[in-house]
Amino acid sequence: DADQLAQVFLNLCTNAQQAMAGWAGPRELTVRTRRSAERGAVVVEVRDTGPGVPPEIVGRIFDPYFTTKPVGEGTGVGLAVSLGIVQAHGGTLAYETPEGGGACFVVTLPAADADAAAGDEKSAAASIASASAREALCILVVDDEPEIGEWLRDLLEGAGHGVALARHGVEALAYLEQQPFDLVLTDLKMPLMDGPALVREIHAQHPALTGRIIAMTGDSLSGDAREFVEQHGIALLHKPFEPRELWAALARFAA
């Protein structure tokens, strides 16, 4: 998806520009592309000559909501969303520290067979459009933390899904009265109406969604909460989770 991948590369270039903005040393952005024949992949490197990423936080830069930017200048979702888009395309996104300093982000994507694609472009395009339509879901995301909801919406919409955001169970039920959804992705701990109460109401008012709920939690589940999740057959994601964990949870619901 050209638009999704453009979002990834724009984000990487913007991050590089921001990293070098106050840098006293040389400021140069380099983008390189190459074909990795042995891996059957296309590799794109986005490199800058800025200060680089401090070693103590390298392991966290792809974590959802993590950011080193001052309050008001970033939400911490950029690299996590970029990682999710690349993974949805079957690729990888990695960070490397180049010799001489700076930062380098490496995107590796499966290489398409250009000859085969050129043979029947219309057929291939129709096939891709059909597959996307089958897999696209209308998802209701319920979470009282705005940054988490926005991150999930960016991630899911980037993968072609339709998304509505609710801040708690009461608001979620209002959405469910207005339009049909294929899936509900809900936090367990929220004000006004928490996750378990919402699940009970969904089962009572919208039985078609029974078994089509994914719960999220940032806490260790108590015995009662775990029993509730298991009893209702609800898939569970532990925050913070990586995009690949979300894709794996969604896979069972794709038509």
Side-chain angles (χ1 to χ4, degrees):
D1 186 307
D3 290 334
Q4 293 179 27
L5 293 177
Q7 180 183 345
V8 171
F9 297 122
L10 178 60
N11 180 56
L12 294 177
C13 291
T14 299
N15 284 352
Q17 183 272 327
Q18 291 176 342
M20 294 188 293
W23 183 238
R27 292 180 286 182
E28 183 176 296
L29 172 64
T30 304
V31 180
R32 293 190 178 93
T33 64
R34 57 186 169 87
R35 176 76 176 262
S36 177
E38 68 276 9
R39 298 178 59 184
V42 171
V43 181
V44 183
E45 298 178 357
V46 179
R47 176 176 176 171
D48 67 69
T49 56
V53 179
E56 62 271 18
I57 66 169
V58 166
R60 300 184 60 197
I61 59 175
F62 292 108
D63 289 353
Y65 333 126
F66 178 74
T67 181
T68 58
K69 298 175 183 176
V71 175
E73 294 188 17
T75 61
V77 301
L79 283 176
V81 171
S82 295
L83 175 63
I85 292 173
V86 172
Q87 288 179 337
H89 282 75
T92 61
L93 172 59
Y95 171 79
E96 296 178 356
T97 301
E99 281 189 39
C104 181
F105 286 89
V106 183
V107 178
T108 303
L109 296 163
D113 187 330
D115 293 334
D120 194 355
E121 292 181 0
K122 290 184 179 180
S123 176
S127 176
I128 291 170
S130 175
S132 297
R134 283 200 309 273
E135 296 173 0
L137 300 170
C138 186
I139 302 172
L140 176 59
V141 174
V142 192
D143 201 301
D144 62 306
E145 296 184 68
E147 67 274 17
I148 296 179
E150 294 291 344
W151 175 69
L152 287 168
R153 179 166 63 184
D154 289 347
L155 203 58
L156 292 166
E157 288 183 345
H161 301 293
V163 180
L165 289 182
R167 294 166 294 177
H168 44 70
V170 175
E171 196 168 74
L173 291 176
Y175 271 112
L176 290 169
E177 289 296 328
Q178 296 170 13
Q179 69 179 88
F181 287 90
D182 300 307
L183 184 69
V184 177
L185 183 61
T186 180
D187 193 17
L188 288 179
K189 184 181 292 186
M190 297 177 292
L192 297 183
M193 178 183 289
D194 63 10
L198 173 60
V199 171
R200 294 187 188 95
E201 291 298 322
I202 290 175
H203 286 182
Q205 300 181 33
H206 306 278
L209 282 171
T210 299
R212 302 187 70 83
I213 300 171
I214 299 174
M216 304 177 290
T217 181
D219 302 322
S220 297
L221 292 185
S222 65
D224 290 344
R226 185 170 297 281
E227 182 179 351
F228 178 85
V229 168
E230 293 174 353
Q231 178 184 352
H232 289 81
I234 301 171
L236 183 65
L237 290 170
H238 290 276
K239 299 177 183 178
F241 48 84
E242 296 183 13
R244 59 181 175 80
E245 297 175 84
L246 178 61
W247 305 141
L250 290 179
R252 59 184 280 201
F253 300 103

